[in-house]
Amino acid sequence: MKVIAGTAKGRNLIAPEGFDTRPVTSKIKEALFSSWQFLIPGADFLDLFAGSGSIGIEAMSRGAANVVFVEKSKRAVEVIKKNLSICKFTNGFQIYQNDVFDRLRLLNNSGASFDLIYLDPPFTVAEIFIPVMEALAEADILKEDGIVGIRTPKEMNIPDDFGKLHKFKKKKYGISTIHFYSLNEE
């Protein structure tokens, strides 16, 4: 698993041991970041269910101003710290070892807002996808022109609308689909 582009291009990242996390494939990462390439520089980026941190680190490497990593697993948080060190990133990020639902509430209460939000919930917990999108919509932390991307199993269908969030695109990659949401234009 490598950083694809930017200041840390080519750096090898490590993944947490075990089966609790599924590192995103290079194909998905390339597709995701090519669709976001003009939005990344200077962006505030939220990486939920961060795992190894590879998505947030890719955003940092490509010029995101600030990245917030949220990951419940202590072991995965240690891996995120190691990967940031491998890439020589010392600032421009926050790491929260926290339940995503709790952190969404705290981010909302703090007035935080993000240009890009990426969610990669565990595929083994199918019942989490809809509630986490509902919690994200309620949190009201997406900036006006912001975009949310959530990775699901390929066959999973999730609603087109969650509160003010509206699905404008979905793309299939191998065993995964990424659903893209933005704020409804009202």
Side-chain angles (χ1 to χ4, degrees):
M1 183 171 53
K2 290 183 185 244
V3 178
I4 298 170
T7 59
K9 180 180 179 179
R11 300 275 166 97
N12 288 312
L13 303 177
I14 57 175
E17 292 181 14
F19 299 106
D20 294 337
T21 60
R22 311 163 268 76
V24 68
T25 66
S26 292
K27 180 181 179 181
I28 293 173
K29 199 187 307 187
E30 283 179 34
L32 183 65
F33 281 93
S34 74
S35 73
W36 286 353
Q37 66 183 328
F38 300 113
L39 305 172
I40 295 285
D44 291 308
F45 192 99
L46 178 58
D47 188 354
L48 297 171
F49 305 97
S52 67
S54 73
I55 294 294
I57 288 170
E58 187 72 34
M60 290 180 73
S61 182
R62 292 172 183 243
N66 185 51
V67 174
V68 173
F69 298 91
V70 180
E71 174 54 55
K72 190 174 184 178
S73 162
K74 181 177 180 166
R75 191 171 45 193
V77 165
E78 292 306 315
V79 168
I80 293 169
K81 291 175 182 175
K82 287 178 187 172
N83 283 335
L84 288 163
S85 179
I86 288 167
C87 294
K88 303 194 182 324
F89 292 130
T90 58
N91 58 29
F93 62 87
Q94 295 85 46
I95 304 168
Y96 296 105
Q97 183 185 336
N98 210 191
D99 175 79
V100 165
F101 293 94
D102 292 339
R103 183 50 54 182
L104 284 172
R105 191 178 64 257
L106 292 168
L107 289 168
N108 184 47
N109 291 343
S110 73
S113 62
F114 298 92
D115 300 289
L116 296 164
I117 301 173
Y118 179 75
L119 300 92
D120 200 345
F123 280 20
T124 56
V125 188
E127 62 275 8
I128 199 170
F129 288 86
I130 290 174
V132 79
M133 286 299 293
E134 290 169 342
L136 179 61
E138 283 178 31
D140 198 27
I141 58 172
L142 185 64
K143 291 183 182 178
E144 190 175 316
D145 293 329
I147 296 175
V148 172
I150 181 170
R151 181 180 171 203
T152 69
K154 179 174 68 174
E155 65 283 349
M156 182 178 282
N157 217 347
I158 60 175
D160 288 345
D161 294 290
F162 291 97
K164 294 186 273 183
L165 298 175
H166 178 72
K167 188 187 306 181
F168 65 90
K169 174 172 76 170
K170 73 179 182 178
K171 297 282 287 179
K172 294 184 184 204
Y173 305 97
I175 64 166
S176 303
T177 297
I178 298 182
H179 306 261
F180 295 92
Y181 292 81
S182 61
L183 292 174
N184 282 329
E185 295 177 14
E186 295 179 12

